[in-house]
mmCIF file of all heavy atoms in Angstrom:
data_model
loop_
_atom_site.group_PDB
_atom_site.id
_atom_site.type_symbol
_atom_site.label_atom_id
_atom_site.label_comp_id
_atom_site.label_asym_id
_atom_site.label_seq_id
_atom_site.Cartn_x
_atom_site.Cartn_y
_atom_site.Cartn_z
ATOM 1 N N VAL E 197 114.012 105.745 86.678
ATOM 2 C CA VAL E 197 114.216 104.293 86.718
ATOM 3 C C VAL E 197 113.486 103.678 87.884
ATOM 4 O O VAL E 197 113.455 104.216 89.004
ATOM 5 C CB VAL E 197 115.730 103.991 86.786
ATOM 6 C CG1 VAL E 197 115.955 102.503 87.023
ATOM 7 C CG2 VAL E 197 116.438 104.454 85.558
ATOM 8 N N SER E 198 112.931 102.482 87.623
ATOM 9 C CA SER E 198 112.299 101.732 88.684
ATOM 10 C C SER E 198 112.903 100.333 88.766
ATOM 11 O O SER E 198 113.295 99.773 87.734
ATOM 12 C CB SER E 198 110.776 101.608 88.426
ATOM 13 O OG SER E 198 110.141 100.804 89.405
ATOM 14 N N THR E 199 112.932 99.800 89.968
ATOM 15 C CA THR E 199 113.432 98.451 90.184
ATOM 16 C C THR E 199 112.388 97.646 90.930
ATOM 17 O O THR E 199 111.854 98.092 91.933
ATOM 18 C CB THR E 199 114.717 98.464 91.009
ATOM 19 O OG1 THR E 199 115.705 99.246 90.320
ATOM 20 C CG2 THR E 199 115.244 97.039 91.194
ATOM 21 N N LEU E 200 112.070 96.483 90.397
ATOM 22 C CA LEU E 200 111.195 95.532 91.080
ATOM 23 C C LEU E 200 112.071 94.441 91.644
ATOM 24 O O LEU E 200 112.824 93.804 90.903
ATOM 25 C CB LEU E 200 110.177 94.940 90.084
ATOM 26 C CG LEU E 200 109.195 93.887 90.639
ATOM 27 C CD1 LEU E 200 108.232 94.521 91.631
ATOM 28 C CD2 LEU E 200 108.437 93.209 89.494
ATOM 29 N N THR E 201 111.993 94.220 92.922
ATOM 30 C CA THR E 201 112.841 93.213 93.605
ATOM 31 C C THR E 201 111.932 92.088 94.120
ATOM 32 O O THR E 201 110.914 92.332 94.730
ATOM 33 C CB THR E 201 113.604 93.855 94.758
ATOM 34 O OG1 THR E 201 114.448 94.909 94.245
ATOM 35 C CG2 THR E 201 114.492 92.815 95.429
ATOM 36 N N ILE E 202 112.375 90.879 93.825
ATOM 37 C CA ILE E 202 111.685 89.705 94.382
ATOM 38 C C ILE E 202 112.701 88.973 95.241
ATOM 39 O O ILE E 202 113.736 88.515 94.762
ATOM 40 C CB ILE E 202 111.168 88.770 93.275
ATOM 41 C CG1 ILE E 202 110.346 89.577 92.233
ATOM 42 C CG2 ILE E 202 110.304 87.654 93.882
ATOM 43 C CD1 ILE E 202 109.924 88.748 91.037
ATOM 44 N N GLN E 203 112.363 88.844 96.512
ATOM 45 C CA GLN E 203 113.262 88.149 97.437
ATOM 46 C C GLN E 203 112.810 86.685 97.584
ATOM 47 O O GLN E 203 111.644 86.355 97.466
ATOM 48 C CB GLN E 203 113.227 88.819 98.817
ATOM 49 C CG GLN E 203 113.752 90.250 98.798
ATOM 50 C CD GLN E 203 113.671 90.915 100.163
ATOM 51 O OE1 GLN E 203 112.605 90.866 100.806
ATOM 52 N NE2 GLN E 203 114.755 91.508 100.630
ATOM 53 N N ARG E 204 113.823 85.831 97.811
ATOM 54 C CA ARG E 204 113.545 84.402 98.058
ATOM 55 C C ARG E 204 112.555 83.871 97.011
ATOM 56 O O ARG E 204 111.474 83.371 97.333
ATOM 57 C CB ARG E 204 112.968 84.204 99.452
ATOM 58 C CG ARG E 204 113.865 84.781 100.556
ATOM 59 C CD ARG E 204 113.269 84.577 101.980
ATOM 60 N NE ARG E 204 111.943 85.138 102.105
ATOM 61 C CZ ARG E 204 111.680 86.402 102.323
ATOM 62 N NH1 ARG E 204 112.659 87.303 102.377
ATOM 63 N NH2 ARG E 204 110.419 86.816 102.444
ATOM 64 N N THR E 205 112.972 83.947 95.764
ATOM 65 C CA THR E 205 112.079 83.590 94.652
ATOM 66 C C THR E 205 111.532 82.162 94.780
ATOM 67 O O THR E 205 112.195 81.250 95.301
ATOM 68 C CB THR E 205 112.801 83.720 93.316
ATOM 69 O OG1 THR E 205 114.006 82.979 93.354
ATOM 70 C CG2 THR E 205 113.067 85.156 92.968
ATOM 71 N N GLN E 206 110.332 82.025 94.335
ATOM 72 C CA GLN E 206 109.608 80.749 94.319
ATOM 73 C C GLN E 206 109.255 80.406 92.851
ATOM 74 O O GLN E 206 109.219 81.270 91.983
ATOM 75 C CB GLN E 206 108.323 80.819 95.133
ATOM 76 C CG GLN E 206 108.539 81.233 96.596
ATOM 77 C CD GLN E 206 109.317 80.205 97.361
ATOM 78 O OE1 GLN E 206 109.025 78.979 97.286
ATOM 79 N NE2 GLN E 206 110.357 80.633 98.086
ATOM 80 N N GLN E 207 108.993 79.153 92.595
ATOM 81 C CA GLN E 207 108.690 78.730 91.234
ATOM 82 C C GLN E 207 107.457 79.445 90.672
ATOM 83 O O GLN E 207 107.377 79.747 89.478
ATOM 84 C CB GLN E 207 108.533 77.217 91.150
ATOM 85 C CG GLN E 207 109.868 76.496 91.320
ATOM 86 C CD GLN E 207 109.738 75.005 91.132
ATOM 87 O OE1 GLN E 207 108.687 74.408 91.411
ATOM 88 N NE2 GLN E 207 110.827 74.392 90.711
ATOM 89 N N GLU E 208 106.482 79.765 91.559
ATOM 90 C CA GLU E 208 105.292 80.450 91.095
ATOM 91 C C GLU E 208 105.539 81.886 90.696
ATOM 92 O O GLU E 208 104.631 82.539 90.140
ATOM 93 C CB GLU E 208 104.168 80.367 92.155
ATOM 94 C CG GLU E 208 104.517 81.059 93.485
ATOM 95 C CD GLU E 208 104.993 80.078 94.516
ATOM 96 O OE1 GLU E 208 105.568 79.004 94.147
ATOM 97 O OE2 GLU E 208 104.775 80.379 95.717
ATOM 98 N N ASP E 209 106.751 82.403 90.968
ATOM 99 C CA ASP E 209 107.094 83.746 90.535
ATOM 100 C C ASP E 209 107.470 83.774 89.040
ATOM 101 O O ASP E 209 107.612 84.854 88.462
ATOM 102 C CB ASP E 209 108.263 84.309 91.359
ATOM 103 C CG ASP E 209 107.943 84.395 92.826
ATOM 104 O OD1 ASP E 209 106.763 84.510 93.190
ATOM 105 O OD2 ASP E 209 108.906 84.330 93.636
ATOM 106 N N SER E 210 107.685 82.605 88.457
ATOM 107 C CA SER E 210 108.030 82.564 87.047
ATOM 108 C C SER E 210 106.932 83.196 86.200
ATOM 109 O O SER E 210 105.767 82.782 86.272
ATOM 110 C CB SER E 210 108.232 81.094 86.595
ATOM 111 O OG SER E 210 109.328 80.539 87.266
ATOM 112 N N ALA E 211 107.308 84.167 85.392
ATOM 113 C CA ALA E 211 106.361 84.932 84.618
ATOM 114 C C ALA E 211 107.142 85.963 83.774
ATOM 115 O O ALA E 211 108.346 86.060 83.921
ATOM 116 C CB ALA E 211 105.363 85.655 85.501
ATOM 117 N N VAL E 212 106.399 86.689 82.949
ATOM 118 C CA VAL E 212 106.973 87.844 82.266
ATOM 119 C C VAL E 212 106.546 89.058 83.035
ATOM 120 O O VAL E 212 105.338 89.263 83.296
ATOM 121 C CB VAL E 212 106.512 87.932 80.809
ATOM 122 C CG1 VAL E 212 107.049 89.209 80.147
ATOM 123 C CG2 VAL E 212 106.959 86.703 80.026
ATOM 124 N N TYR E 213 107.495 89.892 83.431
ATOM 125 C CA TYR E 213 107.200 91.090 84.185
ATOM 126 C C TYR E 213 107.283 92.291 83.211
ATOM 127 O O TYR E 213 108.318 92.526 82.604
ATOM 128 C CB TYR E 213 108.164 91.238 85.339
ATOM 129 C CG TYR E 213 107.876 90.182 86.421
ATOM 130 C CD1 TYR E 213 108.386 88.897 86.295
ATOM 131 C CD2 TYR E 213 107.093 90.511 87.510
ATOM 132 C CE1 TYR E 213 108.084 87.944 87.253
ATOM 133 C CE2 TYR E 213 106.795 89.555 88.462
ATOM 134 C CZ TYR E 213 107.292 88.245 88.327
ATOM 135 O OH TYR E 213 106.991 87.315 89.265
ATOM 136 N N LEU E 214 106.183 92.968 83.096
ATOM 137 C CA LEU E 214 106.085 94.066 82.153
ATOM 138 C C LEU E 214 106.008 95.406 82.877
ATOM 139 O O LEU E 214 105.364 95.540 83.896
ATOM 140 C CB LEU E 214 104.813 93.923 81.275
ATOM 141 C CG LEU E 214 104.778 92.774 80.316
ATOM 142 C CD1 LEU E 214 103.383 92.555 79.775
ATOM 143 C CD2 LEU E 214 105.743 93.002 79.156
ATOM 144 N N CYS E 215 106.706 96.370 82.333
ATOM 145 C CA CYS E 215 106.704 97.716 82.848
ATOM 146 C C CYS E 215 106.032 98.625 81.801
ATOM 147 O O CYS E 215 106.167 98.399 80.588
ATOM 148 C CB CYS E 215 108.108 98.176 83.127
ATOM 149 S SG CYS E 215 108.285 99.873 83.662
ATOM 150 N N ALA E 216 105.319 99.613 82.273
ATOM 151 C CA ALA E 216 104.694 100.593 81.352
ATOM 152 C C ALA E 216 104.819 101.951 81.963
ATOM 153 O O ALA E 216 105.000 102.126 83.177
ATOM 154 C CB ALA E 216 103.225 100.274 81.144
#
Side-chain angles (χ1 to χ4, degrees):
Chain E
V197 172
S198 176
T199 302
L200 178 68
T201 301
I202 309 173
Q203 296 178 311
R204 305 180 303 279
T205 52
Q206 303 295 313
Q207 289 183 332
E208 61 262 28
D209 299 334
S210 296
V212 176
Y213 290 82
L214 292 167
C215 175

